[in-house]
Amino acid sequence: MSGNNTVLARNTENAPKNALFSQTVAFSHYNHLSAQLPIDPTSGEMVVGGIKEQAEQCFKNIKAIVDSIDHVMDDVVRVTVFVKNISDVDTVDAVYKTFFQSYVPTRTVVAVAALPMDALVQVEAIVSNGEGTIPNAPQAGDIIKVTNNTENAPTSSLSTQTVAFSHYNHLSAQLPIDPKSGELVAGGIKEQAGQCLKNIKAILEGIDVPFDDIVKINVFLKNHSDLEAVNEVYSTFFPDSAIARAVAYVPARTTVEVAALPMDALIQIEAVVSHGDGTPPQAVEDRHGLIIEANNTKEAPINALSTQTVAFSHFNHFSAQLPLDPKTGEMVSGGVKEQAAQCLTNIKAIVESIDHVMEDIVKVNIYLKDITDTDAVDEVYKTYFPTGIPARRTVGVSALPSDALIQVEVIVSNAEGTPPTVA
Protein backbone atom coordinates (compact mmCIF):
# COMPACT_ATOMS: atom_id res chain seq x y z
CA MET A 1 0.00 0.00 0.00
CA SER A 2 2.93 2.36 0.60
CA GLY A 3 3.54 2.63 -3.14
CA ASN A 4 0.43 4.79 -3.47
CA ASN A 5 1.82 7.65 -1.37
CA THR A 6 1.73 10.94 -3.23
CA VAL A 7 3.55 14.26 -2.95
CA LEU A 8 0.89 16.80 -1.97
CA ALA A 9 1.87 20.46 -2.38
CA ARG A 10 -0.52 23.11 -1.03
CA ASN A 11 -0.77 26.90 -0.73
CA THR A 12 -3.19 29.26 0.99
CA GLU A 13 -3.96 32.91 0.27
CA ASN A 14 -3.62 33.55 4.01
CA ALA A 15 0.17 33.18 3.94
CA PRO A 16 2.83 34.59 1.58
CA LYS A 17 3.03 32.78 -1.78
CA ASN A 18 6.03 32.32 -4.02
CA ALA A 19 6.03 30.83 -7.52
CA LEU A 20 9.35 29.07 -6.84
CA PHE A 21 8.19 26.90 -3.95
CA SER A 22 5.13 25.61 -2.12
CA GLN A 23 4.09 26.67 1.35
CA THR A 24 3.77 23.07 2.49
CA VAL A 25 4.50 19.72 0.91
CA ALA A 26 2.98 16.64 2.53
CA PHE A 27 4.19 13.12 1.98
CA SER A 28 3.19 10.11 4.02
CA HIS A 29 2.94 11.24 7.67
CA TYR A 30 4.76 14.60 7.53
CA ASN A 31 4.16 18.08 6.15
CA HIS A 32 7.33 20.06 5.38
CA LEU A 33 6.71 23.81 5.47
CA SER A 34 8.74 26.44 3.66
CA ALA A 35 10.56 28.80 5.99
CA GLN A 36 8.31 31.76 6.72
CA LEU A 37 9.52 35.34 6.56
CA PRO A 38 7.72 38.21 8.33
CA ILE A 39 5.73 39.07 5.23
CA ASP A 40 2.15 40.33 5.37
CA PRO A 41 0.33 38.04 2.89
CA THR A 42 -2.13 40.79 1.97
CA SER A 43 0.49 43.35 0.94
CA GLY A 44 3.38 41.02 0.14
CA GLU A 45 5.60 43.41 2.08
CA MET A 46 7.62 43.05 5.25
CA VAL A 47 5.49 43.74 8.30
CA VAL A 48 6.12 47.10 9.98
CA GLY A 49 7.98 47.03 13.29
CA GLY A 50 10.93 45.36 14.93
CA ILE A 51 11.82 41.85 16.00
CA LYS A 52 8.63 41.31 18.03
CA GLU A 53 6.35 42.21 15.14
CA GLN A 54 8.44 40.20 12.68
CA ALA A 55 8.42 37.11 14.88
CA GLU A 56 4.65 37.39 15.34
CA GLN A 57 4.15 37.56 11.56
CA CYS A 58 6.34 34.52 10.95
CA PHE A 59 4.30 32.45 13.40
CA LYS A 60 1.01 33.84 12.08
CA ASN A 61 2.03 32.71 8.60
CA ILE A 62 2.88 29.24 9.91
CA LYS A 63 -0.44 29.05 11.75
CA ALA A 64 -2.31 30.12 8.60
CA ILE A 65 -0.66 27.32 6.61
CA VAL A 66 -1.30 24.79 9.37
CA ASP A 67 -4.95 25.86 9.61
CA SER A 68 -5.35 25.66 5.84
CA ILE A 69 -4.47 21.95 5.82
CA ASP A 70 -6.87 21.19 8.68
CA HIS A 71 -4.17 20.82 11.32
CA VAL A 72 -3.45 22.63 14.57
CA MET A 73 -0.28 24.14 16.01
CA ASP A 74 0.06 21.22 18.41
CA ASP A 75 0.69 19.06 15.31
CA VAL A 76 4.02 20.85 14.83
CA VAL A 77 6.84 18.47 15.74
CA ARG A 78 9.83 20.70 14.98
CA VAL A 79 10.46 24.45 14.81
CA THR A 80 13.64 26.03 13.49
CA VAL A 81 14.24 29.70 14.26
CA PHE A 82 16.81 31.72 12.32
CA VAL A 83 17.59 35.16 13.72
CA LYS A 84 19.89 37.89 12.43
CA ASN A 85 20.94 38.85 15.96
CA ILE A 86 21.27 36.28 18.73
CA SER A 87 20.34 39.00 21.24
CA ASP A 88 16.81 38.96 19.75
CA VAL A 89 16.14 35.39 20.91
CA ASP A 90 14.50 36.42 24.20
CA THR A 91 11.98 38.57 22.32
CA VAL A 92 11.29 35.77 19.84
CA ASP A 93 10.83 33.35 22.75
CA ALA A 94 8.17 35.59 24.29
CA VAL A 95 6.23 35.47 21.01
CA TYR A 96 6.86 31.73 20.61
CA LYS A 97 5.22 31.03 23.98
CA THR A 98 1.95 32.57 22.80
CA PHE A 99 1.72 30.04 19.95
CA PHE A 100 2.81 27.00 21.99
CA GLN A 101 1.20 27.43 25.40
CA SER A 102 1.20 23.84 26.67
CA TYR A 103 2.83 21.37 24.30
CA VAL A 104 6.21 22.49 22.95
CA PRO A 105 7.83 20.90 19.86
CA THR A 106 11.51 20.17 19.34
CA ARG A 107 13.44 23.29 18.43
CA THR A 108 16.62 24.68 16.92
CA VAL A 109 17.72 28.32 17.26
CA VAL A 110 20.66 29.83 15.39
CA ALA A 111 21.81 33.27 14.33
CA VAL A 112 22.82 33.49 10.68
CA ALA A 113 24.71 36.05 8.63
CA ALA A 114 21.70 37.15 6.56
CA LEU A 115 18.09 36.36 5.74
CA PRO A 116 16.03 37.07 2.60
CA MET A 117 14.57 40.59 2.36
CA ASP A 118 16.98 41.62 5.16
CA ALA A 119 14.54 40.12 7.68
CA LEU A 120 15.44 39.86 11.35
CA VAL A 121 13.88 36.43 11.76
CA GLN A 122 12.70 33.45 9.71
CA VAL A 123 10.86 30.41 11.08
CA GLU A 124 10.14 27.00 9.61
CA ALA A 125 8.20 23.99 10.86
CA ILE A 126 7.61 20.31 10.28
CA VAL A 127 4.05 19.18 10.94
CA SER A 128 2.73 15.70 11.62
CA ASN A 129 0.26 14.32 9.08
CA GLY A 130 -1.74 11.62 10.83
CA GLU A 131 -3.96 10.82 7.85
CA GLY A 132 -0.97 10.32 5.57
CA THR A 133 -1.13 10.88 1.81
CA ILE A 134 -2.21 7.49 0.49
CA PRO A 135 -5.27 8.26 -1.67
CA ASN A 136 -8.52 6.38 -1.18
CA ALA A 137 -7.14 4.10 1.53
CA PRO A 138 -7.89 3.71 5.23
CA GLN A 139 -5.47 5.82 7.21
CA ALA A 140 -4.16 5.68 10.73
CA GLY A 141 -5.65 9.09 11.46
CA ASP A 142 -5.25 8.59 15.16
CA ILE A 143 -1.47 8.04 15.14
CA ILE A 144 -0.18 9.78 18.25
CA LYS A 145 2.79 12.01 18.98
CA VAL A 146 5.17 10.64 21.62
CA THR A 147 7.18 13.25 23.51
CA ASN A 148 10.08 12.52 25.80
CA ASN A 149 12.55 14.27 28.09
CA THR A 150 15.30 12.74 30.19
CA GLU A 151 17.19 14.30 33.09
CA ASN A 152 20.38 12.95 31.55
CA ALA A 153 20.28 15.67 28.89
CA PRO A 154 19.57 19.42 29.14
CA THR A 155 15.88 20.29 29.54
CA SER A 156 14.08 23.45 28.48
CA SER A 157 10.58 24.79 29.04
CA LEU A 158 10.60 26.00 25.42
CA SER A 159 11.29 22.69 23.71
CA THR A 160 10.88 18.95 24.05
CA GLN A 161 14.05 16.89 23.74
CA THR A 162 12.47 14.48 21.26
CA VAL A 163 9.10 14.18 19.54
CA ALA A 164 8.29 10.94 17.75
CA PHE A 165 5.56 10.62 15.16
CA SER A 166 5.07 7.63 12.91
CA HIS A 167 8.54 6.37 11.92
CA TYR A 168 10.74 9.32 12.95
CA ASN A 169 12.05 10.96 16.10
CA HIS A 170 12.94 14.65 15.77
CA LEU A 171 15.42 15.87 18.39
CA SER A 172 15.92 19.41 19.60
CA ALA A 173 19.35 20.74 18.67
CA GLN A 174 21.75 20.03 21.49
CA LEU A 175 24.09 22.63 22.93
CA PRO A 176 27.27 21.63 24.82
CA ILE A 177 25.49 21.92 28.16
CA ASP A 178 26.30 19.71 31.13
CA PRO A 179 22.81 18.46 32.16
CA LYS A 180 23.82 18.36 35.84
CA SER A 181 25.00 21.97 36.09
CA GLY A 182 22.99 23.50 33.26
CA GLU A 183 26.15 25.31 32.17
CA LEU A 184 28.37 25.04 29.12
CA VAL A 185 30.92 22.28 29.53
CA ALA A 186 34.45 23.46 30.31
CA GLY A 187 36.99 23.37 27.50
CA GLY A 188 37.15 24.20 23.83
CA ILE A 189 35.58 22.95 20.63
CA LYS A 190 36.46 19.28 21.17
CA GLU A 191 34.90 19.21 24.63
CA GLN A 192 31.85 21.08 23.37
CA ALA A 193 31.38 18.76 20.38
CA GLY A 194 31.69 15.74 22.66
CA GLN A 195 29.07 17.11 25.05
CA CYS A 196 26.58 17.80 22.24
CA LEU A 197 26.89 14.20 21.05
CA LYS A 198 26.73 12.84 24.60
CA ASN A 199 23.47 14.74 25.09
CA ILE A 200 22.05 13.25 21.90
CA LYS A 201 23.11 9.79 23.01
CA ALA A 202 21.48 10.29 26.43
CA ILE A 203 18.20 11.32 24.80
CA LEU A 204 18.24 8.25 22.57
CA GLU A 205 19.04 5.97 25.51
CA GLY A 206 16.04 7.52 27.27
CA ILE A 207 13.77 6.20 24.52
CA ASP A 208 15.64 2.89 24.02
CA VAL A 209 16.89 3.83 20.57
CA PRO A 210 20.41 2.93 19.39
CA PHE A 211 22.76 5.74 18.38
CA ASP A 212 23.15 4.20 14.93
CA ASP A 213 19.43 4.77 14.27
CA ILE A 214 20.36 8.39 13.48
CA VAL A 215 19.75 9.06 9.79
CA LYS A 216 20.73 12.75 9.59
CA ILE A 217 23.04 15.04 11.57
CA ASN A 218 23.18 18.83 11.24
CA VAL A 219 26.23 20.54 12.71
CA PHE A 220 26.08 24.30 13.39
CA LEU A 221 29.53 25.78 13.97
CA LYS A 222 30.54 29.25 15.17
CA ASN A 223 33.85 28.90 13.34
CA HIS A 224 34.13 26.67 10.31
CA SER A 225 37.87 26.36 11.01
CA ASP A 226 36.87 24.14 13.95
CA LEU A 227 35.48 21.45 11.64
CA GLU A 228 38.60 19.29 11.61
CA ALA A 229 38.63 19.15 15.42
CA VAL A 230 34.90 18.37 15.44
CA ASN A 231 35.45 15.56 12.95
CA GLU A 232 38.01 13.97 15.29
CA VAL A 233 35.37 13.81 18.02
CA TYR A 234 32.61 12.87 15.58
CA SER A 235 34.56 9.84 14.41
CA THR A 236 34.60 8.46 17.96
CA PHE A 237 30.78 8.41 18.00
CA PHE A 238 30.12 7.11 14.48
CA PRO A 239 29.86 4.25 13.71
CA ASP A 240 28.64 3.27 17.17
CA SER A 241 27.82 -0.44 17.01
CA ALA A 242 29.60 -3.50 15.66
CA ILE A 243 26.97 -3.86 12.95
CA ALA A 244 27.39 -0.24 11.87
CA ARG A 245 31.17 -0.55 11.92
CA ALA A 246 30.97 -3.66 9.76
CA VAL A 247 29.27 -1.69 7.00
CA ALA A 248 30.96 1.65 7.85
CA TYR A 249 27.57 3.30 8.35
CA VAL A 250 27.54 7.04 9.02
CA PRO A 251 24.45 9.28 8.80
CA ALA A 252 23.84 11.90 6.16
CA ARG A 253 25.31 15.19 7.38
CA THR A 254 25.20 18.94 6.82
CA THR A 255 27.69 21.41 8.31
CA VAL A 256 26.90 25.11 8.48
CA GLU A 257 28.80 28.06 9.91
CA VAL A 258 26.48 30.33 11.87
CA ALA A 259 26.91 33.87 13.15
CA ALA A 260 26.14 32.96 16.76
CA LEU A 261 24.59 30.28 18.95
CA PRO A 262 22.66 30.41 22.24
CA MET A 263 24.86 30.77 25.33
CA ASP A 264 27.73 31.82 23.04
CA ALA A 265 28.40 28.14 22.31
CA LEU A 266 30.92 27.12 19.65
CA ILE A 267 28.77 24.28 18.31
CA GLN A 268 25.22 22.93 18.28
CA ILE A 269 24.11 19.58 16.82
CA GLU A 270 20.67 18.33 15.83
CA ALA A 271 19.64 14.84 14.79
CA VAL A 272 16.82 13.11 12.93
CA VAL A 273 16.33 9.54 14.11
CA SER A 274 14.61 6.54 12.57
CA HIS A 275 11.86 4.94 14.63
CA GLY A 276 11.24 1.40 13.46
CA ASP A 277 8.49 0.68 15.97
CA GLY A 278 6.47 3.67 14.83
CA THR A 279 3.96 5.34 17.13
CA PRO A 280 0.60 3.75 17.97
CA PRO A 281 -1.69 2.60 16.50
CA GLN A 282 0.28 1.68 13.38
CA ALA A 283 -0.23 -1.92 12.41
CA VAL A 284 2.49 -4.39 13.27
CA GLU A 285 3.22 -5.20 9.64
CA ASP A 286 3.74 -1.50 8.92
CA ARG A 287 6.10 -0.72 11.75
CA HIS A 288 8.39 -3.49 12.96
CA GLY A 289 11.81 -4.28 11.56
CA LEU A 290 12.13 -1.49 8.99
CA ILE A 291 15.73 -1.08 7.91
CA ILE A 292 17.96 1.91 7.18
CA GLU A 293 19.13 2.03 3.57
CA ALA A 294 22.34 4.02 3.06
CA ASN A 295 23.51 4.85 -0.44
CA ASN A 296 26.47 6.48 -2.18
CA THR A 297 27.10 6.90 -5.89
CA LYS A 298 30.36 7.76 -7.65
CA GLU A 299 28.38 10.23 -9.74
CA ALA A 300 28.35 12.64 -6.76
CA PRO A 301 31.06 13.63 -4.25
CA ILE A 302 31.78 10.95 -1.61
CA ASN A 303 32.82 11.74 1.96
CA ALA A 304 34.01 9.20 4.53
CA LEU A 305 32.20 11.05 7.34
CA SER A 306 28.77 11.17 5.74
CA THR A 307 26.48 9.09 3.54
CA GLN A 308 25.04 10.85 0.50
CA THR A 309 21.51 9.67 1.30
CA VAL A 310 19.97 7.62 4.08
CA ALA A 311 16.49 6.23 3.51
CA PHE A 312 14.17 5.08 6.25
CA SER A 313 10.48 4.34 5.84
CA HIS A 314 9.07 6.98 3.46
CA PHE A 315 11.89 9.55 3.34
CA ASN A 316 15.44 9.90 2.04
CA HIS A 317 17.63 12.36 3.97
CA PHE A 318 20.49 13.81 1.91
CA SER A 319 23.85 15.20 2.98
CA ALA A 320 24.23 18.81 1.87
CA GLN A 321 25.89 19.01 -1.53
CA LEU A 322 28.74 21.38 -2.31
CA PRO A 323 29.61 22.51 -5.86
CA LEU A 324 32.26 19.81 -6.25
CA ASP A 325 32.92 18.00 -9.50
CA PRO A 326 32.68 14.31 -8.49
CA LYS A 327 35.28 13.30 -11.09
CA THR A 328 38.00 15.65 -9.84
CA GLY A 329 36.85 16.29 -6.28
CA GLU A 330 37.53 19.97 -6.94
CA MET A 331 35.30 23.03 -6.90
CA VAL A 332 33.62 23.62 -10.24
CA SER A 333 34.93 26.67 -12.08
CA GLY A 334 32.78 29.77 -12.41
CA GLY A 335 30.57 31.86 -10.16
CA VAL A 336 27.46 31.27 -8.13
CA LYS A 337 25.35 30.13 -11.12
CA GLU A 338 27.85 27.43 -12.03
CA GLN A 339 28.18 26.43 -8.37
CA ALA A 340 24.41 26.25 -7.90
CA ALA A 341 24.09 24.10 -11.01
CA GLN A 342 26.80 21.72 -9.75
CA CYS A 343 25.11 21.36 -6.35
CA LEU A 344 21.80 20.52 -8.02
CA THR A 345 23.49 18.24 -10.56
CA ASN A 346 25.04 16.31 -7.66
CA ILE A 347 21.64 16.05 -6.00
CA LYS A 348 20.07 14.85 -9.25
CA ALA A 349 22.76 12.18 -9.59
CA ILE A 350 22.07 10.90 -6.09
CA VAL A 351 18.30 10.99 -6.65
CA GLU A 352 18.64 8.98 -9.86
CA SER A 353 21.03 6.50 -8.22
CA ILE A 354 18.23 5.45 -5.86
CA ASP A 355 15.71 5.17 -8.69
CA HIS A 356 13.90 8.38 -7.89
CA VAL A 357 13.24 11.60 -9.83
CA MET A 358 13.59 15.27 -8.93
CA GLU A 359 9.80 15.54 -8.61
CA ASP A 360 10.11 13.31 -5.51
CA ILE A 361 11.91 16.08 -3.60
CA VAL A 362 9.71 17.56 -0.86
CA LYS A 363 12.10 20.09 0.73
CA VAL A 364 15.14 22.09 -0.42
CA ASN A 365 17.46 24.00 1.93
CA ILE A 366 19.84 26.55 0.37
CA TYR A 367 22.82 28.07 2.19
CA LEU A 368 24.39 31.10 0.51
CA LYS A 369 27.68 32.86 1.24
CA ASP A 370 26.11 36.06 -0.12
CA ILE A 371 22.34 36.42 0.23
CA THR A 372 22.32 38.85 -2.71
CA ASP A 373 23.11 35.86 -4.94
CA THR A 374 19.54 34.60 -4.44
CA ASP A 375 18.22 35.91 -7.78
CA ALA A 376 21.07 34.31 -9.71
CA VAL A 377 20.55 31.01 -7.89
CA ASP A 378 16.82 31.17 -8.58
CA GLU A 379 17.51 31.32 -12.34
CA VAL A 380 19.31 28.01 -12.08
CA TYR A 381 16.85 26.60 -9.55
CA LYS A 382 13.92 27.04 -11.95
CA THR A 383 15.54 24.72 -14.48
CA TYR A 384 15.63 21.90 -11.92
CA PHE A 385 12.25 22.62 -10.27
CA PRO A 386 10.04 24.13 -13.01
CA THR A 387 6.83 23.31 -11.13
CA GLY A 388 7.92 25.02 -7.89
CA ILE A 389 6.65 22.14 -5.79
CA PRO A 390 9.25 21.54 -3.07
CA ALA A 391 9.07 23.56 0.11
CA ARG A 392 12.19 25.71 0.56
CA ARG A 393 14.45 27.52 2.99
CA THR A 394 17.19 30.05 2.12
CA VAL A 395 19.65 31.53 4.60
CA GLY A 396 22.88 33.48 4.32
CA VAL A 397 25.96 32.08 6.05
CA SER A 398 29.38 33.58 6.64
CA ALA A 399 31.36 30.57 5.40
CA LEU A 400 30.88 27.18 3.74
CA PRO A 401 33.19 24.17 3.37
CA SER A 402 35.79 24.47 0.59
CA ASP A 403 35.05 28.22 0.56
CA ALA A 404 31.99 27.51 -1.59
CA LEU A 405 29.44 30.17 -2.46
CA ILE A 406 26.48 27.80 -2.05
CA GLN A 407 25.48 24.52 -0.44
CA VAL A 408 22.17 22.69 -1.02
CA GLU A 409 20.45 19.87 0.84
CA VAL A 410 17.17 18.08 0.19
CA ILE A 411 14.66 15.66 1.66
CA VAL A 412 13.22 13.19 -0.84
CA SER A 413 10.01 11.20 -0.64
CA ASN A 414 10.36 7.41 -0.71
CA ALA A 415 7.03 5.98 -1.86
CA GLU A 416 8.13 2.35 -1.69
CA GLY A 417 9.37 2.75 1.89
CA THR A 418 12.18 0.59 3.25
CA PRO A 419 11.69 -3.13 3.77
CA PRO A 420 11.46 -4.92 7.10
CA THR A 421 14.27 -7.13 8.22
CA VAL A 422 13.67 -10.72 7.12
CA ALA A 423 14.47 -13.31 9.76
Side-chain angles (χ1 to χ4, degrees), residues 32 41 56 68 95 156 178 196 261 276 348-349 358 381 410 420:
H32 291 266
E56 286 175 342
S68 74
V95 174
S156 170
D178 180 332
C196 291
L261 291 166
K348 188 171 186 289
M358 293 293 278
Y381 185 89
V410 300

Side-chain angles (χ1 to χ4, degrees), residues 189-257:
I189 185 61
K190 286 188 177 181
E191 291 77 12
Q192 289 199 18
Q195 189 63 52
C196 291
L197 291 165
K198 286 176 185 176
N199 291 342
I200 289 172
K201 196 163 192 177
I203 294 169
L204 295 185
E205 288 173 348
I207 55 175
D208 296 322
V209 172
F211 202 65
D212 283 319
D213 280 356
I214 294 173
V215 296
K216 178 71 191 295
I217 287 281
N218 295 319
V219 179
F220 301 98
L221 281 175
K222 182 77 179 295
N223 301 300
H224 210 278
S225 58
D226 284 338
L227 182 57
E228 187 174 339
V230 170
N231 285 341
E232 286 184 43
V233 177
Y234 190 85
S235 297
T236 67
F237 284 82
F238 297 101
D240 184 60
S241 66
I243 294 174
R245 286 191 292 273
V247 296
Y249 171 72
V250 285
R253 192 175 81 159
T254 295
T255 303
V256 178
E257 178 171 296

Side-chain angles (χ1 to χ4, degrees), residues 42-69:
T42 303
S43 68
E45 302 293 330
M46 190 81 69
V47 69
V48 176
I51 184 62
K52 181 175 182 292
E53 291 77 14
Q54 290 199 18
E56 286 175 342
Q57 189 63 52
C58 289
F59 283 106
K60 285 178 182 177
N61 290 341
I62 287 173
K63 188 175 186 302
I65 296 168
V66 169
D67 289 346
S68 74
I69 57 174

Side-chain angles (χ1 to χ4, degrees), residues 29 71 75 128-132 137-144 165 280-282:
H29 289 137
H71 283 71
D75 290 334
S128 61
N129 188 31
E131 64 274 19
Q139 294 298 296
D142 51 353
I143 291 176
I144 63 171
F165 187 82
Q282 289 172 317

Side-chain angles (χ1 to χ4, degrees), residues 305-374:
L305 292 174
S306 62
T307 301
Q308 289 169 354
T309 179
V310 179
F312 185 81
S313 186
H314 288 139
F315 289 96
N316 293 280
H317 291 265
F318 277 38
S319 291
Q321 293 300 302
L322 288 163
L324 302 176
D325 182 329
K327 294 180 181 178
T328 65
E330 301 296 327
M331 189 75 67
V332 68
S333 59
V336 71
K337 285 188 178 181
E338 291 77 13
Q339 290 198 17
Q342 187 63 53
C343 290
L344 292 167
T345 296
N346 291 342
I347 287 169
K348 188 171 186 289
I350 299 168
V351 168
E352 291 175 348
S353 76
I354 55 174
D355 297 322
H356 283 69
V357 293
M358 293 293 278
E359 288 79 6
D360 291 334
I361 293 175
V362 296
K363 179 73 189 298
V364 177
N365 295 329
I366 299 174
Y367 303 95
L368 288 174
K369 180 81 177 293
D370 186 345
I371 200 73
T372 62
D373 283 339
T374 300

